[in-house]
Amino acid sequence: MASVPPLLLVGTAVLCLGNLLHIIGIGTVHWTDFRPYGGNDLDIGLFRVCSVVAGCQDLLEPSHLVWLAPVELTDAMHAVRALVIIGMLGGLLSGAIAILFTLFKLLSKSVPKILTIICALAAFGAFGLIIIGVIVYAAVVCDDLAGDRGYSFGLSIVGGILLAAGGSLVFLGGRSVD
């Protein structure tokens, strides 16, 4: 068994952690925490809206949200959804390539160095899409609601940053491989 550069192992772990945090951020409903009716919590995610009083409901077209008058599914929300999901797919691609590269190195197989470049490009592409999606959400969607940004919003930001860092580490670690 060949030795694997530590940067490659750390980069792969960071990519996996970044993907995990971003996926949790997408799936949870705390992108915006809002109190529209004198203290009743309303938690808004990208796909669901939850209220202490009425429970959770899928975020569909505005006509379906009878009890949530301030929440509308706008074009900006569709754009945010698309950006963060495509960013997630890019992050998963970079993570899969990093794992494949690490396994090839562990098994002493020949590894095309282009994989590290593709991994880094996918990671930085994912980072860019996630950050653009988060900026659009903060600038357009969240400002329309006048709510506080929640932890899901932050998890996606941290996940995107970790994807960029992990892609860099995999690239640097892959360059040191024979």
Side-chain angles (χ1 to χ4, degrees):
M1 290 183 80
S3 67
V4 179
L7 280 179
L8 186 60
L9 290 174
V10 171
T12 302
V14 169
L15 278 173
C16 291
L17 179 62
N19 278 315
L20 179 66
L21 291 178
H22 180 58
I23 289 170
I24 292 170
I26 289 174
T28 53
V29 295
H30 289 278
W31 277 68
T32 301
D33 296 328
F34 183 59
R35 290 174 175 68
Y37 306 112
N40 292 333
D41 285 341
L42 182 66
D43 300 318
I44 302 166
L46 296 180
F47 299 97
R48 292 184 60 81
V49 179
C50 293
S51 168
V52 173
V53 176
C56 292
Q57 183 175 358
D58 289 338
L59 185 56
L60 302 171
E61 295 304 320
S63 61
H64 296 288
L65 300 174
V66 176
W67 54 274
L68 299 173
V71 180
E72 293 184 17
L73 191 58
T74 61
D75 290 339
M77 185 64 120
H78 286 296
V80 169
R81 284 178 173 181
L83 287 166
V84 298
I85 288 173
I86 295 170
M88 177 193 69
L89 294 175
L92 291 173
L93 174 66
S94 67
I97 291 171
I99 291 170
L100 181 67
F101 193 85
T102 304
L103 288 176
F104 276 8
K105 185 60 183 161
L106 279 172
L107 298 173
S108 300
K109 302 286 184 183
S110 64
V111 182
K113 289 195 178 190
I114 191 76
L115 285 180
T116 60
I117 296 170
I118 295 171
C119 179
L121 289 175
F124 279 105
F127 166 73
L129 290 169
I130 292 166
I131 294 303
I132 291 170
V134 165
I135 289 170
V136 169
Y137 187 88
V140 178
V141 178
C142 195
D143 279 353
D144 288 348
L145 297 172
D148 298 327
R149 286 161 197 83
Y151 73 86
S152 301
F153 180 83
L155 283 176
S156 286
I157 293 172
V158 172
I161 292 169
L162 288 176
L163 287 173
S168 298
L169 291 173
V170 168
F171 178 74
L172 293 173
R175 292 180 54 93
S176 67
V177 174
D178 305 337

